[in-house]
Amino acid sequence: MTDKTTLDTQFQYLSCALNNGVGEMVLNRADKHNAFDEVMISEMIAALDSFASNDDCQVLVLKANGKNFSAGADLNWMRKQAKMDFEQNLADANELATLMHTLDKFPKPTIALVQGAAFGGALGLICASDIAIANERASFCLSEVKLGLIPAVISPYVVRAMGQRASRRYMLTAERFNADTALKLNVIHEIADDLDAAAAPIIAALLSNSPQGMAWVKTLLSRLEDGVIDDDTLNYTSERIARIRVSDEGQEGLNAFFDKRSPDWKAI
């Protein structure tokens, strides 16, 4: 995973690299505004699986080449979908659902860096990422109803980020909204002209943290998404903190704190 040239030869529409613990998955179809099709979706799933299984990857950055992050669905792909029967469309939709789920459950922190247009499925990628930063000229849209469709597969992630009330407005009107609005809607966390510079201190903070701790945080938050606090919740959260305290990384973190030294996560 450390050889960028080897990685690039695997993909038609992606460029992937891993440097100093930071993986990069770059949408590399700028001539088509990084629009999705079945090939790009399959490649993204494969790249995510590869990064997830690589212990050298501690953080994953999702970005795109060109003026725009992604214009959403590729027109030729949409033409194919219009000619598919139900079963074919179901299989096609399941692939996109797999992509969104794989990114959402990725066991390491993910950061989306967004420039220009981020339409349709691109919003799913952004909302399924842990952290998102956009530049001032970023523009967002859930345009599916204009085509007689619905943003079904991406809706769990978009609704979780924006909330039900905002989702009703922007999924029903299909109006564009800018980076300032995206920030207010929790679609992004920050606006910055230089996306890489804005991401740098966040990446540095993530790289200093316990890999196991961050992975368990993601699992914990996923478990708590329904907002229910009952006996099962209390038992689960108590078991999690007890188990991580006695784990190797938990012991290293606690001992390092008491010894007033930096923890050595790589030695574990």
Side-chain angles (χ1 to χ4, degrees):
M1 203 80 189
T2 56
D3 185 343
K4 184 176 186 297
T5 302
T6 300
L7 276 174
D8 285 348
T9 59
Q10 296 177 12
F11 302 119
Q12 183 178 352
Y13 296 140
L14 297 182
S15 174
C16 296
L18 177 58
N19 296 299
N20 299 317
V22 181
E24 284 194 352
M25 186 173 77
V26 185
L27 308 185
N28 194 26
R29 202 186 183 203
D31 59 320
K32 298 293 185 181
H33 306 289
N34 297 309
F36 294 4
D37 67 3
E38 70 275 23
V39 175
M40 181 180 277
I41 290 170
S42 176
E43 291 183 351
M44 283 193 277
I45 294 170
L48 288 170
D49 287 342
S50 183
F51 279 121
S53 63
N54 192 316
D55 292 339
D56 291 333
C57 178
Q58 297 172 259
V59 177
L60 181 66
V61 178
L62 172 61
K63 55 202 300 190
N65 285 329
K67 290 184 178 181
N68 298 304
F69 182 75
S70 175
D74 176 82
L75 293 179
N76 288 327
W77 183 41
M78 292 174 66
R79 288 190 183 98
K80 292 179 187 177
Q81 293 168 334
K83 296 178 181 179
M84 293 176 180
D85 61 23
F86 171 78
E87 294 300 332
Q88 291 170 323
N89 263 291
L90 181 59
D92 188 74
N94 280 335
E95 276 294 287
L96 183 60
T98 296
L99 169 61
M100 297 300 162
H101 181 76
T102 302
L103 177 59
D104 186 55
K105 301 302 182 185
F106 193 76
K108 303 156 191 189
T110 55
I111 305 173
L113 303 183
V114 183
Q115 81 280 8
F119 298 162
L123 264 168
L125 292 178
I126 295 164
C127 293
S129 298
D130 298 318
I131 300 165
I133 306 172
N135 65 11
E136 280 283 358
R137 66 179 188 82
S139 178
F140 306 83
C141 186
L142 293 156
S143 58
E144 286 81 358
V145 293
K146 287 185 176 294
L147 304 175
L149 305 176
I150 58 175
V153 171
I154 66 171
S155 62
Y157 313 100
V158 175
V159 173
R160 182 180 61 192
M162 294 173 59
Q164 273 278 352
R165 192 66 170 162
S167 295
R168 288 190 180 208
R169 171 177 175 172
Y170 290 101
M171 289 183 182
L172 290 171
T173 64
E175 63 191 294
R176 291 193 186 189
F177 54 97
N178 61 20
D180 287 328
T181 300
L183 183 64
K184 293 174 184 176
L185 294 175
N186 295 319
V187 170
I188 61 173
H189 295 92
E190 188 176 332
I191 300 172
D193 290 331
D194 189 330
L195 296 175
D196 289 320
I202 297 173
I203 292 171
L206 294 170
L207 290 175
S208 70
N209 294 337
S210 158
Q212 175 184 266
M214 292 188 295
W216 283 31
V217 162
K218 295 190 67 168
T219 303
L220 174 70
L221 294 176
S222 179
R223 175 68 178 264
L224 299 178
E225 274 185 16
D226 62 8
V228 174
I229 303 175
D230 56 16
D231 287 343
D232 286 342
T233 310
L234 301 182
N235 291 334
Y236 172 75
T237 54
S238 296
E239 186 273 339
R240 289 287 84 189
I241 185 60
R243 191 169 297 282
I244 205 165
R245 281 176 186 158
V246 299
S247 70
D248 290 341
E249 284 195 22
Q251 289 290 297
E252 170 63 12
L254 289 169
N255 289 328
F257 174 76
F258 292 124
D259 295 342
K260 298 182 179 180
R261 60 175 175 82
S262 298
D264 188 358
W265 307 120
K266 292 185 178 180
I268 299 172

